[in-house]
Amino acid sequence: MAIRTRAPGASAAARARSTGAAARASGSSPAVKRARGARLRAAQQPTRLPPGIASVLSVLSSSAVVVDSNDRVLRASAAARTFGLVKGDRLMVSELAALARQVRRDGEIREGEFEVPVPRFGGRTTSFAVRVAPLGGAVGGGGLVLVLAEDQTESRRVDEVKRDFVANTSHELKTPVGALALLAETIEDAADDAEAVRRFAAKMRQEAQRLTNLVQDLITLSRIQAVEPVPDPRPVRLDMVVAEAVDRCRMKANARGITLTSVGSSGLSVLGDEDLLVTALRNLLENAVAYSPERTRVVVTTSRTSDGHAELSVADQGIGIPERDLERIFERFYRVDPARSRATGGTGLGLAIVKHVMAAHNGKVTVRSVEGAGSTFTLFVPLRSEQVGTGAA
């Protein structure tokens, strides 16, 4: 029987070739492992942004985010993290991540709007206008996408305020104009009744005065908002402001048996516009008179604060303001009691004018009120520099 044998050297060589082939087939050779590890490390290594792009992103006012081809965040502005758009190296808004992937695939710039709840701001919803664009193949090795998110919450609120203002103005103007038209028709029908004509003519004068007051308040509000702060401030003596405002309200107060009293420091002086300051204080006094019971007292107190401000307070013994309304009473046309406000001839713009007058004088207005026990409105205006730190006369 013939026995076939193999040389030892040939057998070893064959076994080595067999082992190498198996290793290559299984991908476990050292060279393959090294190549694979290099590819893995490269994939895990974050792409570096060119310094110029990083500098530009740092000065953008929008929430700016750059994501790479693996949807990893390479750069995110502080605003993007504050609003919760980015956490760690991930986009936290799934719609934004999906939009970034679409832009990466086809290279088309896309825009959209998103509502995002922001936990840091009490969970309130923030509106964002978003623009997503590719950064180009030459930047960072390609596949990078830029996400810009602009907070639209404040602009939307301003738009709503404007719409409300136009709607409220139209309504407030329509009411006296309609009343005048109706009264005019009534007078025509009652032309032979002298007593009726006199009665309706008096109501027409009342509605005409209300319309005049509303138009004047709109003009004042528009003028104050157009120029902030006061363009040509002059020295104003607060004694004169208080005296003028009290004098203008004296007739209405006397008609209801309300006593107007001014007390406190004298000789205080501020820089500003005397007419605007008189208007602000007069509005507070008129409100105090209108919302106080008959035969009560309204007190104007003038003083100085330790931080260099003059303080003008108007305190009444009126019906007070509910706590839920205190934050809104300085809005245009906002009324705690619309029926009562119209009955007293108010335009709904008085406190809005006060707020803007104080802003124009680098001051502020505050209110303290207890429902059923009266209110105190206080104006704070910076004293003239030569009066800061000195005693009042």
Side-chain angles (χ1 to χ4, degrees):
M1 179 177 62
I3 299 175
R4 192 176 296 175
T5 60
R6 285 184 289 184
S11 177
R15 285 197 300 271
R17 285 194 300 271
S18 174
T19 303
R24 285 193 297 275
S26 63
S28 59
S29 72
V32 171
K33 287 182 177 179
R34 284 195 299 272
R36 182 180 299 167
R39 287 195 299 270
L40 259 171
R41 287 192 297 274
Q44 293 172 353
Q45 187 68 25
T47 307
R48 294 182 180 274
L49 282 178
I53 292 181
S55 300
V56 170
L57 294 179
S58 66
V59 299
L60 288 176
S61 59
S62 307
S63 298
V65 182
V66 177
V67 293
D68 65 9
S69 56
N70 295 314
D71 287 343
R72 233 176 357 214
V73 174
L74 302 181
R75 172 78 59 155
S77 64
R81 297 188 182 278
T82 299
F83 283 118
L85 301 180
V86 174
K87 187 174 182 180
D89 64 349
R90 290 293 170 188
L91 276 172
M92 301 306 294
V93 183
S94 57
E95 293 91 341
L96 275 181
L99 204 59
R101 285 191 287 271
Q102 291 177 14
V103 169
R104 187 182 301 113
R105 280 197 299 268
D106 57 25
E108 295 290 333
I109 297 175
R110 285 182 169 81
E111 297 180 350
E113 292 189 357
F114 297 97
E115 302 281 339
V116 180
V118 183
R120 187 171 297 186
F121 299 144
R124 68 173 175 83
T125 300
T126 303
S127 301
F128 289 98
V130 178
R131 185 177 178 86
V132 184
L135 283 178
V139 180
L144 302 188
V145 174
L146 172 65
V147 179
L148 295 176
E150 188 74 33
D151 181 8
Q152 300 291 301
T153 307
E154 181 63 19
S155 62
R156 285 191 176 186
R157 188 192 68 80
V158 171
D159 289 341
E160 289 176 2
V161 169
K162 288 179 179 178
R163 285 195 298 270
D164 291 345
F165 180 65
V166 171
N168 288 329
T169 302
S170 302
H171 175 74
E172 295 294 334
L173 288 172
K174 183 173 66 176
T175 301
V177 169
L180 286 170
L182 185 61
L183 288 168
E185 291 177 7
T186 306
I187 287 177
E188 287 179 355
D189 294 337
D192 297 332
D193 187 345
E195 179 61 28
V197 169
R198 282 193 294 271
R199 187 170 67 254
F200 289 124
K203 290 184 178 180
M204 287 185 71
R205 283 196 300 272
Q206 182 180 353
E207 291 296 335
Q209 184 59 49
R210 179 180 170 188
L211 186 59
T212 300
N213 292 341
L214 177 57
V215 172
Q216 184 58 53
D217 281 351
L218 286 171
I219 292 171
T220 302
L221 188 59
S222 176
R223 182 165 66 93
I224 297 170
Q225 287 181 302
V227 183
E228 289 188 9
V230 175
D232 185 23
R234 299 173 181 273
V236 179
R237 292 178 56 198
L238 292 185
D239 295 341
M240 300 298 295
V241 171
V242 172
E244 180 68 19
V246 169
D247 187 57
R248 292 188 188 183
C249 297
R250 183 80 66 185
M251 186 178 295
K252 289 183 180 179
N254 290 341
R256 305 190 67 234
I258 294 175
T259 303
L260 295 181
T261 306
S262 57
V263 298
S265 304
S266 62
L268 299 182
S269 178
V270 300
L271 283 177
D273 185 307
E274 182 173 345
D275 289 339
L276 290 180
L277 290 172
V278 169
T279 297
L281 186 58
R282 176 178 60 82
N283 285 347
L284 295 182
L285 285 171
E286 287 181 348
N287 279 354
V289 170
Y291 292 97
S292 292
E294 294 182 357
R295 292 178 295 280
T296 55
R297 192 165 178 246
V298 174
V299 180
V300 183
T301 305
T302 308
S303 61
R304 60 187 301 146
T305 66
S306 59
D307 61 352
H309 284 74
E311 183 178 302
L312 287 171
S313 295
V314 176
D316 62 53
Q317 299 170 307
I319 60 175
I321 304 168
E323 185 177 355
R324 65 179 181 275
D325 295 304
L326 287 175
E327 292 184 359
R328 299 197 59 191
I329 57 175
F330 294 100
E331 296 177 13
R332 306 180 190 99
F333 295 117
Y334 184 81
R335 293 180 170 98
V336 176
D337 184 349
R340 183 183 178 98
S341 180
R342 290 191 175 92
T344 59
T347 64
L349 294 173
L351 291 180
I353 290 174
V354 172
K355 182 184 73 172
H356 285 287
V357 168
M358 287 300 97
H361 286 79
N362 295 317
K364 66 177 181 178
V365 55
T366 63
V367 57
R368 299 193 315 275
S369 185
V370 177
E371 197 170 2
S375 305
T376 300
F377 286 83
T378 304
L379 308 179
F380 295 89
V381 191
L383 287 164
R384 293 177 62 189
S385 56
E386 56 266 32
Q387 287 201 332
V388 176
T390 62

